[in-house]
Amino acid sequence: MSLVVRARRVVLPDGERAATVHTADGRVAAVTAFADAPAGVVTLADDEVLLPGLVDSHVHVNEPGRTEWEGFASATAAAAAGGVTTVVDMPLNSVPPTTTVEALRVKQRAAEEQVAVDVAFWGGAVPGDLDQLRPLHEAGVVGFKCFLLDSGVPEFPPLDDAGLRAALAELAALDALLVAHAEDADVVAAAPPPAGASYAAFLASRPPAAEETAIGRLVAAARDTGARVHVVHLADAGALPLLREARAAGVRVTVETCPHYLTFAAEQVPDGDTAYKCCPPIRAAGHREALWAALVDGHGGRPVIDMVVSDHSPCTPELKRLDVGDFGLAWGGIASLQVALPAVWTGARARGVPLARVVQWMSAAPARLAGLPGKGAIAVGKDADLVAFAPEERRRVGALRHRHPVTPYAGRELTGVVRRTWLRGVEVDGTPRGRLLSRGGR
């Protein structure tokens, strides 16, 4: 089947313009003028923009082992509804965690024949699995995730400094990527523990210094080993100068933030509403605005933050402890895979940021991070992953396809609606046509 789609607005690598996108065998075959359209062309409505499928490189699917939290079928259905055509699954919260090739195969068997979009996989770096990093790399994982403090699940313990440096030395030899949850265990241990319904108390339990100290450790280890590292879910604006200096000094470090850090502010989080709990926490409005600035212009230099990904980390409603509203007891994680694009676009639009920049943050940059050359842009030779997006339509969040609809976005009005999604030239309709991807492949 050869799909041809045209639109008055198409987001291409060199900018936005009217164009016709021709596909063959699941890939983009040509991009021509709007008028160059054969019979049977799909013409988008005047209020729609054609985007490349988004790539979300930070998704916790949780299957197998905690499939009651989320599973491949529900997660990829939500992804497609949100314009995400490729997800990269994190190695923890599933059981077993993806810390061996055998565990990777278990996860792949669980995913095959039920995914609506394409799925790639992170490996895990934990104490005692140093000898597993090379085999996992050769098996095609896109990189390795580690924690620098308690992950929240006992089967995925954190790396101490010695373990971090040993892992980075091994990964540097492979030119493989380490992505790190960067909060410092000692700083968190010294902070008052969270308890009760007070969001201010929870915020105090995960202070900005926890992020800054851990990022400092990560940057120092990357500098000394020459390894590539990536900071996941940055919430603290105070770490931006450190990251800017590290890049200027040649340290190979990239950075992501998440829609919830760009949308919400601590001052607006209601006490007892544990749907907002995540780690690191949603910080004050000043942090939010500084994160936006670091995405857009980096204060006059290269932007410090490279991308925006969801960190979709759902759980059962019971684990969110909405019944008692206790931030100390609730699971920390925000379900947002389906709403990530409209959430980010709503904020970007309000700040005068063009849609093409959002596409860079949410498609091209995470595809590059994960080493998926067939993804991330509407360009000849790339997979024909396409999205019809209505950027001016407003809608309240509801009818979510995540396994559980608990999210702080529920009922919030956002701007931008995904109307259609195509995976390799075929419209996503619930049929599990997704593929399992390896790093560098398709």
Side-chain angles (χ1 to χ4, degrees), residues 147-418:
F147 272 70
L148 301 183
L149 84 172
D150 181 16
S151 71
V153 291
E155 66 275 2
F156 202 92
L159 295 177
D160 60 16
D161 274 344
L164 172 65
R165 287 173 176 267
L168 285 178
E170 178 72 8
L171 296 180
L174 303 171
D175 197 32
L177 175 68
L178 184 77
V179 306
H181 181 124
E183 289 182 282
D184 185 81
D186 291 338
V187 173
V188 171
S198 169
Y199 186 75
F202 170 63
L203 190 60
S205 76
R206 316 285 292 217
E211 288 188 76
E212 293 158 26
T213 301
I215 290 171
R217 290 167 49 205
L218 181 68
V219 163
R223 180 194 62 222
D224 294 345
T225 60
R228 293 192 294 136
V229 297
H230 178 76
V231 176
V232 299
H233 51 49
L234 182 70
D236 168 43
L240 293 169
L242 168 64
L243 289 162
R244 188 178 299 111
E245 291 166 10
R247 293 215 219 210
V251 178
R252 297 198 293 169
V253 56
T254 50
V255 187
E256 71 186 43
T257 193
C258 303
H260 40 279
Y261 302 129
L262 299 172
T263 301
F264 304 115
E267 299 91 332
Q268 303 162 345
V269 176
D271 285 346
D273 194 343
T274 51
Y276 287 86
K277 181 179 178 180
C278 58
C279 299
I282 294 164
R283 303 199 184 279
H287 289 269
R288 178 185 63 194
E289 298 311 312
L291 294 175
W292 273 108
L295 269 167
V296 173
D297 63 15
H299 297 288
R302 171 189 170 188
V304 182
I305 301 176
D306 302 274
M307 66 196 70
V308 184
V309 293
S310 70
D311 188 13
H312 177 68
S313 186
C315 65
T316 62
E318 293 78 13
L319 288 175
K320 269 298 186 184
R321 299 310 305 266
L322 294 167
D323 55 338
V324 294
D326 190 323
F327 282 97
L329 298 176
W331 173 260
I334 288 179
S336 59
L337 182 54
Q338 186 173 332
V339 300
L341 174 58
V344 176
W345 170 237
T346 298
R349 180 177 176 275
R351 292 166 176 83
V353 178
L355 184 56
R357 290 295 302 276
V358 174
V359 169
Q360 284 291 317
W361 300 333
M362 302 188 74
S363 186
R368 188 165 50 248
L369 179 83
L372 300 174
K375 306 296 184 179
I378 299 174
V380 173
K382 301 274 191 182
D383 288 351
D385 299 345
L386 306 170
V387 175
F389 183 64
E392 301 305 317
E393 183 178 346
R394 304 177 74 178
R395 182 179 296 178
R396 293 198 179 277
V397 174
L400 294 173
R401 300 188 185 184
H402 311 144
R403 187 174 295 278
H404 304 290
V406 177
T407 176
Y409 293 99
R412 188 179 184 91
E413 186 175 79
L414 299 175
T415 302
V417 173
V418 172

